[in-house]
């Protein structure tokens, strides 16, 4: 078991989500689905240690390595850092990049489209050393072709790690997750 | 005056000190610009100038006073968790006020304060060169270790925070290096030249370099070229070094602006990144009524 959550109530200045109980093991790709304001992003932030836990507890496997990709990647301009340099900084593999992303990764990040940047950031999380990957709305800014690439990335190396991902796109979650949790608003 | 003046024994120490600082300061400037904290150069420079003046008043070496004042400021910033230019703005105001007050209330303090602002590179001595070499050594040891961490915390800030890594310690380590760099530069070449070497080469490199590695390389190369030209021109025309360096670097910034086509293009679809003209994409709405 990589992550065990029992009766978690999480939020910022006040509780936003919970109580939630959840188990994540290697190979799991769990989707979080719910209406706006149901606390999906807050739950992920609490697991990453950013949001406050008001009740319950989160138990991580000792030595668990976590990668988190927030809803919007950090975009700066000007930014003379290439996609490859971003991936190296994230200690993510570069060799297995899909061809379209491999081409884009040689450019400066401030010269990439929103979708290319989003997908590179997701790759940085998925192809890195993390055992648990938290993805908040990874389908943002992606056209159908890039959404397909994201689906391929989620399937690759599935046995090595667990993925918890938030998305508003229920068909995407149903197609690519091992199970989907619905958060009540 | 001939180019051989540059290697005149009288100017060897200032020249060597300046070249070492011109390699290191632009590297620090590039990281500060990545963190959107380029005002750090002015904040640390003003604080270290005030510290240097205070040390002189207390009959201590100016260099030590400057480095200590800037180092304490960097530690205070790290301890408070402050980030962004606002903290350096307050640092600059505090240092500036202290510099003027100490200058106004001590004998010859006003002249020394003026010298620290303008810079007196030609009087740099062995202690300035030793400090610059120590700084370069510290930079050579720390920057390769810090660089990927600093890039990651800036571009993928949640990765390290989610794993409880000592992000603040990394930033404080770099802050100390930057503070020491600016303090050493302020003591040997003045506030104006220190700020110019931190800001201008990195600013230019950020706009033209194809990658981070090239940004670092280009920053240092521009810093050294700008320094050598300014050193020679200032000697040739018998002008203060700091303003001449600023003039040289501003000329380079202006040239880069002109060559990258700052003027608006006649073609609204001109590709800003490649500079090549491309026709606009054709969009046809099959449901639109005929004109």
């Amino acid at each position: 078991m990589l992550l065990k959550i029992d009766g978690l109530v999480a939020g910022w200045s006040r509780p936003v989500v919970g109580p939630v109980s959840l188990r994540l093991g290697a190979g799991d790709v769990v989707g979080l689905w719910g209406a706006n304001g149901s606390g999906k992003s807050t739950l992920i932030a609490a697991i990453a240690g950013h949001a406050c836990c008001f009740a319950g507890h989160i138990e991580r496997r000792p030595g668990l390595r976590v990668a988190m990709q927030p809803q919007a990647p950090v975009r700066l301009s000007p930014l003379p850092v290439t996609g490859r340099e971003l991936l190296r900084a994230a200690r993510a593999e570069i060799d297995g990049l899909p061809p379209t992303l491999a081409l884009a990764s040689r450019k400066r990040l401030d010269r990439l489209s929103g979708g290319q940047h989003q997908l590179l950031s997701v790759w940085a999380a998925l192809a890195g050393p993390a055992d648990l990957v938290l993805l908040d709305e990874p389908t943002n800014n992606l056209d159908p072709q890039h959404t397909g690439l994201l689906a391929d990335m989620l399937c690759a190396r599935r046995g090595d790690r667990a993925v918890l991902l938030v998305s508003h796109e229920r068909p995407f979650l149903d197609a690519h997750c091992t199970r989907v949790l619905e958060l009540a608003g | 005056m001939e180019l051989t003046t540059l290697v005149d024994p009288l100017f060897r120490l200032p020249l060597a000190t300046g070249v070492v600082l011109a390699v290191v300061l632009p590297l620090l400037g590039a990281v500060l610009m990545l963190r959107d904290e380029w005002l750090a150069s002015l904040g640390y420079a003003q604080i270290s100038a005030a510290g240097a003046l205070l040390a002189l008043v207390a009959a201590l070496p100016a260099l030590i006073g400057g480095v200590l004042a800037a180092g304490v400021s960097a530690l205070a910033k790290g301890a408070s968790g402050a980030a962004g230019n606002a903290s350096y703005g307050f640092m600059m105001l505090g240092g500036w006020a202290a510099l003027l007050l100490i200058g106004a209330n001590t004998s010859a303090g006003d002249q020394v304060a003026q010298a620290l602002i303008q810079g007196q590179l030609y009087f740099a001595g062995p202690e300035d060169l030793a400090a610059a070499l120590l700084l370069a050594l510290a930079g050579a040891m720390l920057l390769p270790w810090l660089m990927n961490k600093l890039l990651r915390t800036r571009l993928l800030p949640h990765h390290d925070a989610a794993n409880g890594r000592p992000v603040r310690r990394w930033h404080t380590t770099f802050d100390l290096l930057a503070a020491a760099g600016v303090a050493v530069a302020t003591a040997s070449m003045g506030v104006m030249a220190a700020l110019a070497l931190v800001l201008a080469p990195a600013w230019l490199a950020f706009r033209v370099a194809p990658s981070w590695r090239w940004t670092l390389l280009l920053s240092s190369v521009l810093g050294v070229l700008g320094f050598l030209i300014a050193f020679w021109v200032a000697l040739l025309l018998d002008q203060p070094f700091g303003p001449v360096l600023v003039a040289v670097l501003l000329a380079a910034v202006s040239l880069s602006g002109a060559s990258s086509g700052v003027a608006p293009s006649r073609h609204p679809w001109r590709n800003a990144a490649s500079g090549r003209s491309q026709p606009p994409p054709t969009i046809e709405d099959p449901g639109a009524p005929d004109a």
Side-chain angles (χ1 to χ4, degrees), chain A residues 48 50 60 64-70 74 76 78-82 85-86 88-91 106-109 111 121 124-125, chain B residues 34 148-149 151-152 154-165 203 205-215 272-273:
Chain A
H50 304 316
R60 290 181 178 191
L64 184 81
R65 292 165 298 183
V66 180
M68 181 183 174
Q69 176 54 37
V74 176
L76 308 169
L79 180 61
V81 175
T82 64
E85 287 169 330
L86 175 81
R88 270 196 289 274
R91 285 175 287 181
R106 295 181 185 278
K107 295 182 186 171
R108 286 168 54 132
L109 291 174
R111 290 174 187 169
S121 302
Chain B
L34 176 76
N148 267 352
K149 295 177 174 66
L151 274 175
R152 197 166 61 236
R154 183 64 171 138
L155 302 175
L156 302 164
H158 295 82
H159 279 228
D160 291 305
N163 291 289
R165 296 197 183 109
W203 189 92
F206 258 61
R207 274 140 189 89
V208 299
S211 67
W212 184 243
R213 187 176 292 187
W214 275 101
T215 301

Side-chain angles (χ1 to χ4, degrees), chain A:
Chain A
M1 193 64 60
L2 299 177
L3 183 77
K4 191 174 154 189
I5 297 175
D6 284 313
L8 176 70
V9 178
W12 304 96
S13 55
R14 60 181 181 75
V16 173
V17 63
V20 176
S21 295
L22 175 66
R23 302 284 184 275
L24 276 177
D28 285 341
V29 180
V30 175
L32 280 178
W33 192 77
N36 285 337
S38 59
K40 305 181 295 291
S41 297
T42 304
L43 177 58
I44 279 197
I47 295 168
H50 304 316
C52 301
C53 298
F54 291 93
H57 69 274
I58 301 170
E59 191 181 323
R60 290 181 178 191
R61 189 193 70 188
L64 184 81
R65 292 165 298 183
V66 180
M68 181 183 174
Q69 176 54 37
Q71 276 192 35
V74 176
R75 298 212 73 178
L76 308 169
S77 183
L79 180 61
V81 175
T82 64
R84 284 174 174 254
E85 287 169 330
L86 175 81
L87 297 179
R88 270 196 289 274
R91 285 175 287 181
E93 291 170 13
I94 297 176
D95 291 344
L97 272 172
T100 54
L101 216 50
L103 205 62
S105 72
R106 295 181 185 278
K107 295 182 186 171
R108 286 168 54 132
L109 291 174
D110 57 358
R111 290 174 187 169
L112 298 182
S113 70
Q116 288 171 324
H117 195 157
Q118 170 80 6
L119 212 51
L120 263 177
S121 302
V122 172
W123 179 271
L126 284 170
D131 310 299
L132 171 62
V133 179
L134 308 170
L135 302 175
D136 196 353
E137 299 285 3
T139 52
N140 277 358
N141 298 316
L142 300 186
D143 59 21
Q145 184 202 354
H146 285 100
T147 304
L149 278 176
L150 172 64
D152 294 341
M153 290 181 194
L154 285 172
C155 292
R157 291 183 45 204
R158 180 175 279 185
D160 294 357
R161 47 158 163 71
V163 178
L164 184 61
L165 74 97
V166 165
S167 178
H168 278 107
E169 297 188 30
R170 183 66 194 238
F172 180 85
L173 294 179
D174 287 335
H176 304 294
C177 294
T178 51
R179 62 184 195 276
V180 178
L181 296 181
E182 185 171 345
L183 291 181

Side-chain angles (χ1 to χ4, degrees), chain B residues 19-131:
Chain B
V19 167
V20 174
L21 291 173
V23 171
V24 180
L25 288 191
L27 294 177
L28 301 176
V31 178
L32 287 169
M33 202 156 282
L34 176 76
R35 300 198 315 187
D36 203 16
E37 290 185 345
W38 57 268
L39 202 53
S41 48
L42 198 50
Y44 287 135
Q46 289 287 4
I47 286 279
S48 66
L53 189 53
L54 201 59
L56 285 174
V57 169
L60 294 169
L63 187 62
I64 290 177
V67 172
L68 272 179
V72 168
S73 305
L75 285 175
K77 175 184 171 278
S80 69
N85 273 326
S87 54
Y88 295 114
F90 287 117
M91 219 182 270
M92 185 191 76
L93 278 174
W96 195 2
L99 192 66
L100 291 176
L101 282 173
I102 299 166
N105 290 286
T106 53
S107 60
D110 204 29
Q111 284 179 342
V112 178
Q114 195 63 27
L116 281 166
I117 297 289
Q118 285 185 353
Q120 297 291 328
L121 179 64
Y122 308 117
F123 300 122
E127 69 282 0
D128 292 297
L129 179 59

